[in-house]
Amino acid sequence: MRRPAAVATAVAEAARVGGRGRRWIVLTILLGAGCGTGGQDGRAPEGIELSDAYAAEPVTTDVAAVYLTIRNHGATPDTLTGAQTPIAGMVHVHRMAGIGGAQMRATEAVEVPARGQVQLRPGSLHLMLMSLTRRPQVGDTIEITLQFAHAGAISVRAPVVSYLDVSERATVGAQETPQ
Amino acid sequence: MLVLLGAMVLGCTRPDDRAVAFASDGAAHGLRGRVLPAPLPKPDLVLTDANGEPFDLRRETDGYLTLLFFGYTSCPDICPIHMASLGAVMQTLRPTVRERIRVVFVTTDPERDTPERLKAWLANFDPTFIGLTGDTATVNAAQRALYLPLPQIGPADSTGAYQVGHAAAIVAFTPDNQGRVMYPFGIRQADWANDLPKLLAIEWAE
């Protein structure tokens, strides 16, 4: 016997990626908060540190994605308000959210909690580069400058990796990570 | 909260059904995808393929393990990640397995995704992947039949570019043309490598 409602629930569950891993993700973030190891790059005196940046080699010159971790070592929250890079006409911060998948939204601003961190990672938040002046390739590095309300402009270098490499960093449940 | 929202979005779900929904687990078959509690029929869809020819989904993919995904080529994250992963794993499969699989990418952005563009984009991952386009009503009906959330076209920015929200999951139809397993975003090459041969071999009770 078919149970359409049950199927609908299961599809929704699978599509929005399961809840079982969620608490662990939250826990990981809490544990990770405030224990940054100090930046190789992008460290600013105000206490914002950018690390683990990478870009996906774009398929077209229309659009590319950059991922990174933003740590706030300071005692006050800060806000990511935008980003720029010489190779793109425009950069948006995008959040993948919503039931069932990639309900993609341009995000006006992303708060980085005091002594906390925000991860821009596959299936969740990313910097979306648009109108690229060229198509960067694996092995290239993209220089990108993030703008924070308090810390000001902070730059980071994002090595370009393949989408296959990005897929191997993707995790089921990424879309549910609370930000 | 998310579950409640899901129920609201999808309409008729009753809380009682959750127990049934999760009673069926991929682990029973050694699968890493999520086995649906009851199979879903393959959508009856005639769309346009990457060569501009009509493509009858049921007829063209009959007897194949068919992986169906709804996405768009201006997508920077979910879509190319899924396709890269599938493209890579296809190369690792034995030819006898690979030949029995069809990967079908249906655009949720028919405005920009012309057949030519779909073909060129998919060729970056695997030239055998099938790109389909069609009118929004037809494509939406197929997604509705699979209980997938419908695409949402975002607002255009100053350059006219816009984003399209769409379901992140891939639906696997076994060779008997039944949709049986869902693959959420985050599924990796190793998961596909584990599941694809099994999906061709499992004998399903229903």
Side-chain angles (χ1 to χ4, degrees):
Chain A
M1 196 184 86
R2 304 256 164 120
R3 301 182 190 88
V7 178
T9 310
V11 171
E13 176 67 13
R16 76 173 169 73
V17 298
R20 270 175 292 184
R22 188 175 172 203
R23 287 179 192 283
W24 290 106
I25 293 165
V26 176
L27 187 61
T28 308
I29 287 173
L30 291 174
L31 289 170
C35 49
T37 51
Q40 302 90 343
D41 56 6
R43 184 82 185 254
E46 292 83 356
I48 291 288
E49 176 199 354
L50 308 181
S51 63
D52 306 322
Y54 60 100
E57 181 185 53
V59 183
T60 68
T61 54
D62 292 349
V63 66
V66 172
Y67 308 95
L68 74 157
T69 298
I70 304 169
R71 287 194 181 88
N72 183 358
H73 297 288
T76 51
D78 205 339
T79 305
L80 171 65
T81 57
Q84 295 162 300
T85 172
I87 72 149
M90 196 179 295
V91 181
H92 285 174
V93 183
H94 269 106
R95 186 190 300 279
M96 316 298 278
I99 304 307
Q103 308 298 353
M104 193 159 161
R105 287 198 292 266
T107 300
E108 290 299 313
V110 176
E111 183 170 306
V112 189
R115 305 195 196 290
Q117 69 172 18
V118 172
Q119 283 187 307
L120 282 69
R121 58 189 186 130
S124 176
L125 278 168
H126 59 267
L127 297 175
M128 187 166 117
L129 282 48
M130 287 169 290
S131 305
L132 306 180
T133 56
R134 64 186 172 84
R135 206 177 132 190
Q137 300 190 325
V138 171
D140 291 353
T141 300
I142 295 175
E143 172 103 15
I144 188 157
T145 303
L146 279 67
Q147 196 70 40
F148 292 90
H150 299 300
I154 306 175
S155 295
V156 67
R157 292 166 68 79
V160 178
V161 304
S162 69
Y163 268 114
L164 182 59
D165 284 343
V166 177
S167 78
E168 292 296 306
R169 303 177 195 213
T171 50
V172 173
Q175 289 165 284
E176 280 195 334
T177 305
Q179 298 287 346
Chain B
M1 176 63 173
L2 280 167
V3 171
L4 280 176
L5 279 172
M8 282 156 61
V9 167
L10 291 155
C12 57
T13 310
R14 298 189 308 273
D16 296 354
D17 291 311
R18 282 179 55 80
V20 179
F22 301 121
S24 183
D25 194 314
H29 297 285
L31 293 170
R32 308 213 182 139
R34 296 176 185 181
V35 178
L36 297 174
L40 292 167
K42 194 180 275 179
D44 190 4
L45 259 186
V46 180
L47 296 172
T48 302
D49 73 12
N51 296 314
E53 300 292 328
F55 188 97
D56 181 326
L57 181 70
R58 284 188 176 173
R59 200 178 67 211
E60 300 282 352
T61 64
D62 181 35
Y64 291 96
L65 168 56
T66 306
L67 305 175
L68 181 62
F69 180 66
F70 296 86
Y72 69 114
T73 71
S74 306
C75 165
D77 188 65
I78 304 276
C79 315
I81 290 172
H82 263 323
M83 291 301 114
S85 188
L86 273 176
V89 81
M90 289 289 270
Q91 296 308 309
T92 69
L93 298 172
R94 282 181 292 124
T96 50
V97 171
R98 189 166 64 231
E99 284 160 7
R100 297 183 60 199
I101 299 173
R102 291 288 179 267
V103 175
V104 179
F105 182 99
V106 178
T107 183
T108 54
D109 184 15
E111 190 77 18
R112 288 181 294 189
D113 285 345
T114 59
E116 300 74 30
R117 187 180 161 100
L118 279 169
K119 189 175 191 169
W121 188 80
L122 287 169
N124 286 284
F125 308 107
D126 185 323
T128 72
F129 287 0
I130 297 162
L132 300 178
T133 182
D135 68 89
T136 301
T138 308
V139 173
N140 282 358
Q143 290 174 89
R144 205 174 285 121
L146 296 170
Y147 300 99
L148 294 171
L150 296 184
Q152 298 175 3
I153 307 286
D157 66 21
S158 57
T159 67
Y162 57 90
Q163 299 304 309
V164 182
H166 59 92
I170 295 177
V171 188
F173 296 86
T174 42
D176 58 2
N177 304 312
Q178 297 297 313
R180 298 187 183 275
V181 190
M182 300 284 294
Y183 289 88
F185 178 78
I187 282 289
R188 298 181 182 182
Q189 256 194 103
D191 304 315
W192 288 121
N194 176 75
D195 281 20
L196 293 175
K198 287 190 171 70
L199 289 173
L200 284 165
I202 294 170
E203 294 197 14
W204 302 85
E206 188 181 4

